[in-house]
Amino acid sequence: EVIPTDTVDRIFELLSLRHMEQKELANWLGILPQTVTDWKNRKSKSYTKYIPKLALALNTTSEWLSLEMGAKMAVQFKVKGPEHGSLFH
């Protein structure tokens, strides 16, 4: 299990928890699926301009997505589970 300690980790951890595909997220944001793949592979940081929309789609807050923290603090942070849904379900 990856401990989500940065924004990229958090985006993809929540995608997994919400059982969402990268393609769904890309479509909702109006971007190419390759862009989301580039985020995952850390080839692009363009996700920073989508933080508010990402937070809405992933049912979390912009602050939580953007917050840089160490692994110990990340474990203590609670994320809403998939039962809370998202814009896709």
Side-chain angles (χ1 to χ4, degrees):
E1 177 182 351
V2 173
I3 297 172
T5 58
D6 69 7
T7 301
V8 173
D9 288 344
R10 288 187 189 93
I11 290 168
F12 291 97
E13 176 70 13
L14 288 176
L15 275 175
S16 176
L17 285 171
R18 308 284 188 252
H19 305 288
M20 293 164 47
E21 294 185 17
Q22 293 179 38
K23 184 171 72 172
E24 289 179 284
L25 182 62
N27 288 339
W28 193 83
L29 294 172
I31 60 176
L32 295 173
Q34 182 60 47
T35 302
V36 179
T37 300
D38 287 346
W39 298 346
K40 187 173 188 173
N41 294 329
R42 299 178 188 269
K43 293 182 178 179
S44 170
K45 290 188 176 188
S46 64
Y47 58 82
T48 57
K49 60 186 170 187
Y50 296 99
I51 294 292
K53 280 187 163 185
L54 283 163
L56 187 61
L58 298 170
N59 194 28
T60 190
T61 64
S62 296
E63 293 79 15
W64 189 79
L65 282 176
S66 300
L67 187 64
E68 295 293 332
M69 65 174 80
K72 185 175 181 181
M73 284 183 66
V75 171
Q76 296 171 354
F77 236 89
K78 300 295 181 195
V79 180
K80 293 179 182 177
E83 68 276 4
H84 295 288
S86 72
L87 293 180
F88 299 109
H89 299 287

Coordinates of all heavy atoms in Angstrom, one line a residue:
E1 N 0.8 -1.2 0.0 CA 0.0 0.0 0.0 C 0.9 1.2 0.0 O 1.8 1.3 0.8 CB -0.9 0.0 1.2 CG -1.8 1.2 1.3 CD -2.6 1.2 2.6 OE1 -2.7 0.2 3.3 OE2 -3.2 2.2 2.9
V2 N 0.6 2.2 -0.8 CA 1.3 3.5 -0.9 C 0.7 4.4 0.1 O -0.5 4.6 0.2 CB 1.2 4.1 -2.3 CG1 1.8 5.5 -2.3 CG2 1.8 3.2 -3.3
I3 N 1.5 5.0 0.9 CA 1.0 6.0 1.9 C 1.0 7.3 1.1 O 2.1 7.8 0.6 CB 2.0 6.1 3.1 CG1 1.9 4.8 3.9 CG2 1.5 7.3 4.0 CD1 2.9 4.7 5.0
P4 N -0.2 8.0 0.9 CA -0.2 9.2 0.1 C 0.4 10.4 0.8 O -0.2 11.0 1.6 CB -1.8 9.3 -0.1 CG -2.4 8.7 1.1 CD -1.4 7.6 1.5
T5 N 1.6 10.7 0.4 CA 2.3 11.8 1.1 C 2.5 13.0 0.2 O 2.9 14.0 0.7 CB 3.8 11.3 1.5 OG1 4.4 10.9 0.3 CG2 3.7 10.2 2.5
D6 N 2.0 12.9 -1.0 CA 2.0 14.1 -1.8 C 0.8 14.2 -2.7 O 0.0 13.2 -2.7 CB 3.3 14.3 -2.7 CG 3.5 13.3 -3.8 OD1 2.5 12.5 -4.1 OD2 4.5 13.2 -4.4
T7 N 0.6 15.2 -3.5 CA -0.6 15.4 -4.2 C -0.8 14.3 -5.2 O -2.0 13.7 -5.4 CB -0.6 16.8 -4.9 OG1 -0.5 17.8 -4.0 CG2 -1.9 17.0 -5.7
V8 N 0.2 13.9 -5.9 CA 0.1 12.8 -6.9 C -0.4 11.5 -6.3 O -1.3 10.8 -6.7 CB 1.4 12.6 -7.7 CG1 1.3 11.4 -8.6 CG2 1.7 13.8 -8.6
D9 N 0.3 11.2 -5.2 CA -0.1 10.0 -4.4 C -1.6 10.0 -4.0 O -2.3 9.1 -4.1 CB 0.7 9.8 -3.1 CG 2.1 9.4 -3.4 OD1 2.4 8.9 -4.5 OD2 3.0 9.5 -2.5
R10 N -2.0 11.2 -3.5 CA -3.4 11.3 -3.0 C -4.4 11.2 -4.2 O -5.4 10.6 -4.0 CB -3.6 12.7 -2.3 CG -2.9 12.7 -1.0 CD -3.2 14.0 -0.3 NE -2.4 14.1 0.9 CZ -1.2 14.7 0.9 NH1 -0.8 15.4 -0.1 NH2 -0.5 14.7 2.0
I11 N -4.1 11.8 -5.3 CA -5.0 11.7 -6.5 C -5.3 10.3 -6.8 O -6.4 9.8 -7.0 CB -4.5 12.5 -7.7 CG1 -4.5 14.0 -7.4 CG2 -5.2 12.1 -9.0 CD1 -3.7 14.8 -8.5
F12 N -4.2 9.5 -6.9 CA -4.3 8.1 -7.4 C -4.8 7.2 -6.3 O -5.5 6.2 -6.6 CB -3.0 7.7 -8.1 CG -2.9 8.4 -9.4 CD1 -2.1 9.6 -9.5 CD2 -3.6 8.1 -10.5 CE1 -2.0 10.3 -10.6 CE2 -3.5 8.8 -11.7 CZ -2.7 9.9 -11.8
E13 N -4.5 7.5 -5.1 CA -5.1 6.7 -4.0 C -6.6 6.9 -4.0 O -7.4 5.9 -3.8 CB -4.5 7.2 -2.6 CG -5.1 6.5 -1.4 CD -4.7 5.0 -1.3 OE1 -3.8 4.6 -2.0 OE2 -5.3 4.3 -0.4
L14 N -7.1 8.1 -4.1 CA -8.6 8.3 -4.1 C -9.2 7.7 -5.4 O -10.3 7.2 -5.3 CB -8.9 9.8 -4.0 CG -8.6 10.4 -2.6 CD1 -8.9 11.9 -2.6 CD2 -9.4 9.7 -1.6
L15 N -8.5 7.8 -6.5 CA -9.1 7.1 -7.7 C -9.3 5.7 -7.4 O -10.3 5.1 -7.8 CB -8.1 7.3 -8.9 CG -8.2 8.5 -9.7 CD1 -7.1 8.6 -10.8 CD2 -9.6 8.7 -10.4
S16 N -8.3 5.0 -6.8 CA -8.4 3.6 -6.5 C -9.6 3.4 -5.5 O -10.4 2.5 -5.7 CB -7.1 3.1 -5.9 OG -7.2 1.8 -5.5
L17 N -9.6 4.2 -4.4 CA -10.7 4.0 -3.4 C -12.1 4.2 -4.0 O -13.0 3.6 -3.6 CB -10.5 5.0 -2.3 CG -9.4 4.7 -1.3 CD1 -9.2 5.9 -0.3 CD2 -9.7 3.5 -0.5
R18 N -12.2 5.1 -5.0 CA -13.5 5.4 -5.6 C -13.8 4.4 -6.8 O -14.8 4.6 -7.4 CB -13.5 6.8 -6.1 CG -13.2 7.9 -5.1 CD -14.3 8.1 -4.1 NE -13.9 9.2 -3.2 CZ -13.6 9.1 -2.0 NH1 -13.5 8.0 -1.4 NH2 -13.3 10.2 -1.3
H19 N -12.9 3.5 -7.1 CA -13.1 2.6 -8.2 C -13.3 3.4 -9.5 O -14.2 3.0 -10.3 CB -14.2 1.6 -7.9 CG -14.0 0.8 -6.7 ND1 -13.0 -0.1 -6.5 CD2 -14.6 0.9 -5.5 CE1 -13.1 -0.6 -5.3 NE2 -14.0 0.0 -4.6
M20 N -12.5 4.4 -9.7 CA -12.6 5.3 -10.9 C -11.5 5.0 -11.8 O -10.4 4.7 -11.3 CB -12.7 6.7 -10.4 CG -13.9 7.1 -9.7 SD -13.7 8.7 -8.8 CE -13.1 9.8 -10.0
E21 N -11.7 5.1 -13.1 CA -10.6 5.0 -14.0 C -10.1 6.4 -14.4 O -10.7 7.4 -14.3 CB -11.2 4.3 -15.3 CG -11.6 2.9 -15.1 CD -12.0 2.2 -16.4 OE1 -11.7 2.7 -17.4 OE2 -12.7 1.2 -16.3
Q22 N -8.8 6.3 -14.7 CA -8.1 7.6 -15.1 C -8.9 8.3 -16.3 O -9.0 9.5 -16.3 CB -6.7 7.3 -15.5 CG -5.8 6.9 -14.4 CD -4.4 6.6 -14.8 OE1 -3.8 7.3 -15.7 NE2 -3.8 5.5 -14.3
K23 N -9.4 7.4 -17.2 CA -10.1 8.0 -18.3 C -11.4 8.7 -17.9 O -11.7 9.8 -18.5 CB -10.5 6.8 -19.3 CG -11.2 7.3 -20.6 CD -11.3 6.1 -21.6 CE -12.4 5.1 -21.1 NZ -12.7 4.1 -22.1
E24 N -12.1 8.2 -16.9 CA -13.3 8.9 -16.4 C -12.9 10.3 -15.8 O -13.6 11.3 -16.1 CB -13.9 8.1 -15.3 CG -14.6 6.9 -15.7 CD -15.2 6.1 -14.4 OE1 -14.4 5.5 -13.7 OE2 -16.4 6.2 -14.2
L25 N -11.8 10.3 -15.1 CA -11.4 11.6 -14.5 C -11.0 12.5 -15.6 O -11.3 13.7 -15.5 CB -10.2 11.3 -13.5 CG -9.6 12.5 -12.8 CD1 -10.7 13.2 -11.9 CD2 -8.4 12.2 -12.0
A26 N -10.2 12.1 -16.5 CA -9.8 12.9 -17.7 C -11.0 13.5 -18.4 O -11.0 14.7 -18.7 CB -8.9 12.2 -18.6
N27 N -12.0 12.7 -18.7 CA -13.2 13.2 -19.4 C -13.9 14.2 -18.6 O -14.3 15.2 -19.1 CB -14.1 12.0 -19.7 CG -13.6 11.1 -20.8 OD1 -12.8 11.5 -21.6 ND2 -14.1 9.9 -20.8
W28 N -14.0 14.0 -17.3 CA -14.7 15.0 -16.4 C -13.9 16.3 -16.3 O -14.5 17.4 -16.3 CB -14.9 14.4 -15.0 CG -15.8 15.2 -14.2 CD1 -17.2 15.1 -14.2 CD2 -15.5 16.2 -13.3 NE1 -17.7 16.0 -13.3 CE2 -16.7 16.7 -12.7 CE3 -14.3 16.8 -12.8 CZ2 -16.7 17.7 -11.8 CZ3 -14.3 17.8 -11.9 CH2 -15.5 18.3 -11.4
L29 N -12.6 16.2 -16.4 CA -11.8 17.5 -16.3 C -11.7 18.1 -17.7 O -11.2 19.2 -17.8 CB -10.4 17.1 -15.8 CG -10.3 16.7 -14.3 CD1 -8.9 16.2 -14.0 CD2 -10.7 17.8 -13.4
G30 N -12.0 17.4 -18.7 CA -11.9 17.9 -20.1 C -10.5 17.9 -20.6 O -10.1 18.8 -21.4
I31 N -9.7 16.9 -20.2 CA -8.3 16.8 -20.6 C -8.1 15.4 -21.2 O -9.0 14.5 -21.1 CB -7.3 17.0 -19.4 CG1 -7.6 16.0 -18.3 CG2 -7.5 18.4 -18.9 CD1 -6.6 16.1 -17.2
L32 N -7.0 15.2 -21.9 CA -6.7 13.9 -22.5 C -6.3 12.9 -21.4 O -5.6 13.3 -20.4 CB -5.5 14.1 -23.4 CG -5.7 14.9 -24.7 CD1 -4.4 15.1 -25.4 CD2 -6.8 14.3 -25.6
P33 N -6.7 11.7 -21.6 CA -6.3 10.6 -20.6 C -4.7 10.6 -20.4 O -4.2 10.3 -19.3 CB -6.8 9.3 -21.2 CG -8.0 9.8 -22.0 CD -7.6 11.1 -22.6
Q34 N -4.0 10.9 -21.5 CA -2.5 10.8 -21.4 C -2.0 11.8 -20.4 O -1.0 11.6 -19.7 CB -1.9 11.1 -22.8 CG -0.4 11.1 -22.8 CD 0.2 9.7 -22.4 OE1 -0.3 8.7 -22.9 NE2 1.1 9.7 -21.5
T35 N -2.7 12.9 -20.2 CA -2.3 13.9 -19.2 C -2.4 13.3 -17.8 O -1.5 13.5 -17.0 CB -3.2 15.2 -19.3 OG1 -3.1 15.7 -20.7 CG2 -2.8 16.2 -18.3
V36 N -3.4 12.6 -17.5 CA -3.6 12.0 -16.2 C -2.5 10.9 -16.0 O -1.9 10.8 -15.0 CB -5.0 11.4 -16.0 CG1 -5.1 10.7 -14.7 CG2 -6.0 12.4 -16.2
T37 N -2.2 10.2 -17.1 CA -1.1 9.2 -17.1 C 0.3 9.9 -16.8 O 1.1 9.4 -16.0 CB -1.0 8.4 -18.4 OG1 -2.2 7.7 -18.6 CG2 0.2 7.4 -18.4
D38 N 0.5 11.1 -17.4 CA 1.7 11.8 -17.2 C 1.8 12.3 -15.7 O 2.9 12.3 -15.2 CB 1.7 13.1 -18.1 CG 2.0 12.7 -19.5 OD1 2.4 11.6 -19.8 OD2 1.8 13.6 -20.4
W39 N 0.7 12.6 -15.1 CA 0.7 13.0 -13.7 C 1.2 11.8 -12.9 O 2.0 11.9 -12.0 CB -0.7 13.4 -13.2 CG -1.3 14.6 -13.8 CD1 -0.7 15.5 -14.6 CD2 -2.7 15.0 -13.7 NE1 -1.6 16.5 -15.0 CE2 -2.8 16.2 -14.5 CE3 -3.8 14.5 -13.1 CZ2 -4.0 16.9 -14.6 CZ3 -5.0 15.1 -13.2 CH2 -5.1 16.3 -13.9
K40 N 0.5 10.6 -13.2 CA 0.9 9.4 -12.4 C 2.4 9.0 -12.6 O 3.0 8.6 -11.6 CB 0.0 8.2 -12.9 CG 0.2 7.0 -12.1 CD -0.8 5.9 -12.4 CE -0.7 4.8 -11.4 NZ -1.8 3.8 -11.7
N41 N 2.9 9.2 -13.8 CA 4.3 8.9 -14.0 C 5.2 10.1 -13.6 O 6.4 10.0 -13.9 CB 4.5 8.6 -15.5 CG 3.8 7.3 -15.8 OD1 3.7 6.4 -15.0 ND2 3.3 7.1 -17.0
R42 N 4.6 11.1 -13.1 CA 5.4 12.3 -12.6 C 6.1 13.0 -13.8 O 7.2 13.6 -13.5 CB 6.3 12.0 -11.4 CG 5.4 11.5 -10.3 CD 6.2 11.1 -9.1 NE 5.4 10.4 -8.1 CZ 4.8 11.0 -7.1 NH1 4.9 12.3 -6.9 NH2 4.1 10.3 -6.2
K43 N 5.5 13.0 -14.9 CA 6.1 13.7 -16.1 C 5.5 15.1 -16.3 O 6.0 15.9 -17.1 CB 5.9 12.9 -17.4 CG 6.6 11.6 -17.4 CD 6.3 10.9 -18.7 CE 7.1 9.5 -18.8 NZ 6.8 8.9 -20.1
S44 N 4.5 15.4 -15.5 CA 3.8 16.7 -15.6 C 3.2 17.1 -14.2 O 2.8 16.2 -13.5 CB 2.7 16.6 -16.6 OG 1.9 17.8 -16.5
K45 N 3.3 18.3 -14.0 CA 2.7 18.9 -12.7 C 1.4 19.7 -13.1 O 1.0 20.5 -12.3 CB 3.7 19.7 -11.9 CG 4.7 18.8 -11.3 CD 5.6 19.6 -10.4 CE 6.6 18.7 -9.7 NZ 7.4 19.4 -8.6
S46 N 0.9 19.5 -14.3 CA -0.2 20.4 -14.7 C -1.5 20.1 -13.8 O -2.4 20.9 -13.8 CB -0.6 20.2 -16.1 OG -1.0 18.8 -16.4
Y47 N -1.5 19.1 -13.0 CA -2.6 18.8 -12.1 C -2.8 20.0 -11.1 O -3.9 20.2 -10.6 CB -2.4 17.5 -11.3 CG -1.1 17.5 -10.4 CD1 -1.1 18.1 -9.2 CD2 0.0 16.9 -10.9 CE1 0.1 18.1 -8.4 CE2 1.2 16.9 -10.2 CZ 1.2 17.5 -9.0 OH 2.4 17.5 -8.2
T48 N -1.8 20.8 -10.9 CA -1.9 21.9 -9.9 C -3.0 22.9 -10.3 O -3.7 23.4 -9.4 CB -0.6 22.6 -9.7 OG1 -0.1 23.1 -11.0 CG2 0.5 21.7 -9.1
K49 N -3.2 23.1 -11.6 CA -4.3 24.0 -12.0 C -5.7 23.4 -11.9 O -6.7 24.1 -12.1 CB -4.0 24.6 -13.4 CG -3.9 23.6 -14.5 CD -3.5 24.3 -15.8 CE -3.1 23.4 -16.9 NZ -2.6 24.0 -18.0
Y50 N -5.8 22.1 -11.6 CA -7.0 21.4 -11.6 C -7.4 21.0 -10.1 O -8.4 20.3 -9.9 CB -7.0 20.1 -12.4 CG -6.8 20.4 -13.9 CD1 -5.6 20.3 -14.5 CD2 -7.9 20.8 -14.7 CE1 -5.4 20.5 -15.9 CE2 -7.8 21.1 -16.0 CZ -6.5 20.9 -16.6 OH -6.4 21.2 -17.9
I51 N -6.7 21.4 -9.2 CA -6.9 21.0 -7.8 C -8.3 21.2 -7.3 O -8.9 20.2 -6.8 CB -5.9 21.7 -6.8 CG1 -4.4 21.2 -7.1 CG2 -6.3 21.4 -5.3 CD1 -4.1 19.8 -6.7
P52 N -9.0 22.3 -7.5 CA -10.4 22.4 -7.1 C -11.3 21.4 -7.7 O -12.2 20.8 -7.1 CB -10.8 23.9 -7.4 CG -9.4 24.6 -7.4 CD -8.5 23.6 -8.0
K53 N -11.1 21.2 -9.0 CA -12.0 20.3 -9.8 C -11.7 18.8 -9.3 O -12.5 18.0 -9.2 CB -11.8 20.4 -11.3 CG -12.6 21.6 -11.9 CD -12.4 21.5 -13.4 CE -13.5 22.3 -14.1 NZ -13.5 22.2 -15.5
L54 N -10.4 18.6 -9.1 CA -10.0 17.2 -8.7 C -10.6 16.9 -7.3 O -11.1 15.8 -7.1 CB -8.5 17.1 -8.6 CG -7.7 16.9 -9.9 CD1 -6.2 17.3 -9.7 CD2 -7.9 15.5 -10.4
A55 N -10.6 17.9 -6.4 CA -11.2 17.7 -5.1 C -12.7 17.4 -5.2 O -13.2 16.5 -4.5 CB -10.9 19.0 -4.2
L56 N -13.3 18.1 -6.0 CA -14.8 17.9 -6.2 C -15.0 16.5 -6.8 O -15.9 15.8 -6.3 CB -15.3 19.0 -7.2 CG -16.8 19.0 -7.4 CD1 -17.6 19.3 -6.1 CD2 -17.2 20.1 -8.4
A57 N -14.3 16.1 -7.8 CA -14.5 14.8 -8.4 C -14.2 13.7 -7.5 O -14.8 12.6 -7.5 CB -13.6 14.7 -9.7
L58 N -13.2 13.9 -6.6 CA -12.7 12.8 -5.7 C -13.3 12.9 -4.3 O -12.9 12.2 -3.4 CB -11.2 12.9 -5.6 CG -10.5 12.6 -7.0 CD1 -9.0 12.9 -6.9 CD2 -10.7 11.2 -7.5
N59 N -14.3 13.8 -4.2 CA -15.0 14.0 -2.9 C -14.0 14.2 -1.7 O -14.1 13.5 -0.7 CB -15.9 12.8 -2.6 CG -16.9 13.0 -1.5 OD1 -17.3 14.1 -1.3 ND2 -17.3 11.9 -0.9
T60 N -13.1 15.2 -1.9 CA -12.2 15.5 -0.8 C -12.1 17.1 -0.8 O -12.9 17.7 -1.5 CB -10.9 14.8 -1.0 OG1 -10.1 15.0 0.2 CG2 -10.1 15.2 -2.2
T61 N -11.1 17.6 -0.2 CA -10.8 19.0 -0.2 C -9.6 19.4 -1.0 O -8.6 18.6 -1.1 CB -10.7 19.6 1.2 OG1 -9.5 19.0 1.8 CG2 -11.9 19.2 2.1
S62 N -9.6 20.6 -1.5 CA -8.4 21.1 -2.2 C -7.2 21.1 -1.2 O -6.0 20.8 -1.6 CB -8.6 22.5 -2.7 OG -9.6 22.5 -3.7
E63 N -7.5 21.4 0.0 CA -6.4 21.5 1.1 C -5.8 20.2 1.3 O -4.5 20.1 1.4 CB -7.0 22.0 2.4 CG -7.4 23.5 2.3 CD -8.8 23.7 1.7 OE1 -9.5 22.7 1.5 OE2 -9.1 24.9 1.3
W64 N -6.6 19.1 1.4 CA -6.0 17.8 1.6 C -5.2 17.3 0.4 O -4.1 16.7 0.6 CB -7.1 16.8 1.9 CG -6.5 15.5 2.4 CD1 -6.1 15.2 3.6 CD2 -6.3 14.3 1.6 NE1 -5.6 13.9 3.6 CE2 -5.7 13.3 2.4 CE3 -6.6 14.0 0.2 CZ2 -5.4 12.0 1.9 CZ3 -6.2 12.7 -0.2 CH2 -5.6 11.8 0.6
L65 N -5.7 17.6 -0.8 CA -4.9 17.2 -2.0 C -3.6 17.9 -2.1 O -2.6 17.4 -2.5 CB -5.7 17.5 -3.3 CG -6.8 16.5 -3.6 CD1 -7.5 17.0 -4.9 CD2 -6.2 15.1 -3.9
S66 N -3.6 19.2 -1.7 CA -2.4 20.0 -1.8 C -1.4 19.9 -0.7 O -0.2 20.3 -0.8 CB -2.8 21.5 -1.9 OG -3.6 21.7 -3.0
L67 N -1.8 19.4 0.4 CA -1.0 19.4 1.6 C 0.2 18.5 1.5 O 0.1 17.3 1.2 CB -1.8 19.0 2.8 CG -1.2 19.0 4.2 CD1 -0.9 20.5 4.6 CD2 -2.2 18.4 5.2
E68 N 1.4 19.0 1.8 CA 2.6 18.2 1.8 C 2.8 17.8 3.2 O 2.8 18.6 4.2 CB 3.8 19.0 1.3 CG 3.7 19.4 -0.1 CD 3.8 18.2 -1.1 OE1 4.4 17.2 -0.8 OE2 3.2 18.4 -2.2
M69 N 2.9 16.5 3.4 CA 3.2 16.0 4.8 C 4.0 14.7 4.8 O 4.1 14.1 3.8 CB 1.8 15.7 5.5 CG 1.0 14.6 4.9 SD -0.4 14.1 5.8 CE -1.6 15.4 5.3
G70 N 4.6 14.4 5.9 CA 5.4 13.2 6.0 C 4.5 12.0 6.1 O 3.3 12.1 6.4
A71 N 5.1 10.8 5.9 CA 4.3 9.6 6.0 C 3.6 9.4 7.3 O 2.5 8.9 7.3 CB 5.3 8.4 5.7
K72 N 4.2 9.7 8.4 CA 3.6 9.5 9.7 C 2.3 10.3 9.8 O 1.2 9.7 10.2 CB 4.5 9.9 10.8 CG 4.0 9.6 12.2 CD 5.0 9.9 13.2 CE 4.5 9.5 14.6 NZ 5.5 9.8 15.7
M73 N 2.3 11.5 9.4 CA 1.1 12.3 9.4 C 0.0 11.8 8.4 O -1.2 11.9 8.7 CB 1.4 13.8 9.1 CG 2.0 14.5 10.3 SD 2.3 16.3 9.9 CE 0.6 16.8 9.8
A74 N 0.5 11.4 7.2 CA -0.5 10.9 6.2 C -1.3 9.7 6.7 O -2.5 9.6 6.4 CB 0.3 10.5 4.9
V75 N -0.6 8.8 7.5 CA -1.3 7.7 8.0 C -2.4 8.1 9.0 O -3.5 7.5 9.1 CB -0.3 6.7 8.7 CG1 -1.1 5.6 9.5 CG2 0.6 6.1 7.7
Q76 N -2.2 9.2 9.7 CA -3.2 9.7 10.7 C -4.3 10.4 10.0 O -5.4 10.6 10.6 CB -2.5 10.6 11.7 CG -1.5 9.9 12.5 CD -0.6 10.9 13.4 OE1 -0.7 12.1 13.2 NE2 0.2 10.3 14.2
F77 N -4.1 10.9 8.8 CA -5.2 11.6 8.1 C -6.2 10.6 7.6 O -5.9 9.6 7.0 CB -4.6 12.3 6.9 CG -4.8 13.8 6.9 CD1 -4.0 14.7 7.5 CD2 -5.9 14.3 6.2 CE1 -4.2 16.0 7.5 CE2 -6.2 15.7 6.2 CZ -5.3 16.5 6.9
K78 N -7.5 10.9 7.8 CA -8.5 10.0 7.4 C -9.1 10.5 6.0 O -9.4 11.7 5.9 CB -9.7 9.9 8.4 CG -9.2 9.4 9.7 CD -8.7 8.0 9.6 CE -8.3 7.4 11.0 NZ -7.5 6.2 10.9
V79 N -9.3 9.6 5.1 CA -9.9 9.9 3.8 C -11.3 9.3 3.8 O -11.5 8.2 4.2 CB -9.1 9.3 2.7 CG1 -9.7 9.7 1.3 CG2 -7.7 9.8 2.8
K80 N -12.3 10.1 3.3 CA -13.6 9.5 3.1 C -13.5 8.3 2.2 O -12.9 8.3 1.2 CB -14.6 10.5 2.5 CG -14.8 11.7 3.3 CD -15.8 12.7 2.6 CE -16.0 13.9 3.4 NZ -16.9 14.9 2.6
G81 N -14.2 7.2 2.6 CA -14.2 6.0 1.9 C -15.1 6.0 0.7 O -15.9 7.0 0.5
P82 N -15.0 5.0 -0.1 CA -15.8 4.9 -1.4 C -17.3 5.0 -1.1 O -18.1 5.3 -2.0 CB -15.4 3.6 -2.0 CG -14.7 2.9 -1.0 CD -14.2 3.8 0.0
E83 N -17.8 4.7 0.1 CA -19.2 4.7 0.3 C -19.8 6.1 0.2 O -21.0 6.2 0.1 CB -19.5 4.1 1.7 CG -19.0 4.9 2.9 CD -17.6 4.6 3.3 OE1 -16.9 3.9 2.6 OE2 -17.1 5.2 4.3
H84 N -18.9 7.1 0.3 CA -19.4 8.5 0.2 C -19.6 8.9 -1.3 O -20.1 9.9 -1.6 CB -18.4 9.4 0.9 CG -18.4 9.2 2.3 ND1 -19.4 9.5 3.2 CD2 -17.5 8.6 3.1 CE1 -19.1 9.2 4.4 NE2 -17.9 8.7 4.4
G85 N -19.1 8.1 -2.2 CA -19.4 8.3 -3.6 C -18.5 9.4 -4.2 O -17.6 9.9 -3.6
S86 N -18.9 9.8 -5.4 CA -18.2 10.8 -6.2 C -19.1 11.3 -7.2 O -20.3 10.8 -7.3 CB -16.9 10.3 -6.8 OG -17.2 9.4 -7.9
L87 N -18.7 12.2 -8.1 CA -19.5 12.7 -9.1 C -19.8 11.6 -10.2 O -20.7 11.8 -11.0 CB -18.8 13.9 -9.8 CG -18.7 15.1 -8.9 CD1 -18.1 16.3 -9.7 CD2 -20.1 15.6 -8.5
F88 N -19.0 10.5 -10.2 CA -19.1 9.5 -11.2 C -20.2 8.5 -10.9 O -20.6 7.7 -11.7 CB -17.8 8.8 -11.5 CG -16.7 9.8 -11.9 CD1 -15.7 10.2 -11.1 CD2 -16.8 10.4 -13.2 CE1 -14.7 11.1 -11.5 CE2 -15.8 11.3 -13.6 CZ -14.8 11.6 -12.8
H89 N -20.6 8.4 -9.6 CA -21.5 7.4 -9.2 C -22.8 7.9 -8.6 O -22.8 8.9 -8.0 CB -20.9 6.4 -8.2 CG -19.7 5.7 -8.8 ND1 -19.8 4.7 -9.8 CD2 -18.4 6.0 -8.6 CE1 -18.6 4.4 -10.1 NE2 -17.7 5.1 -9.4

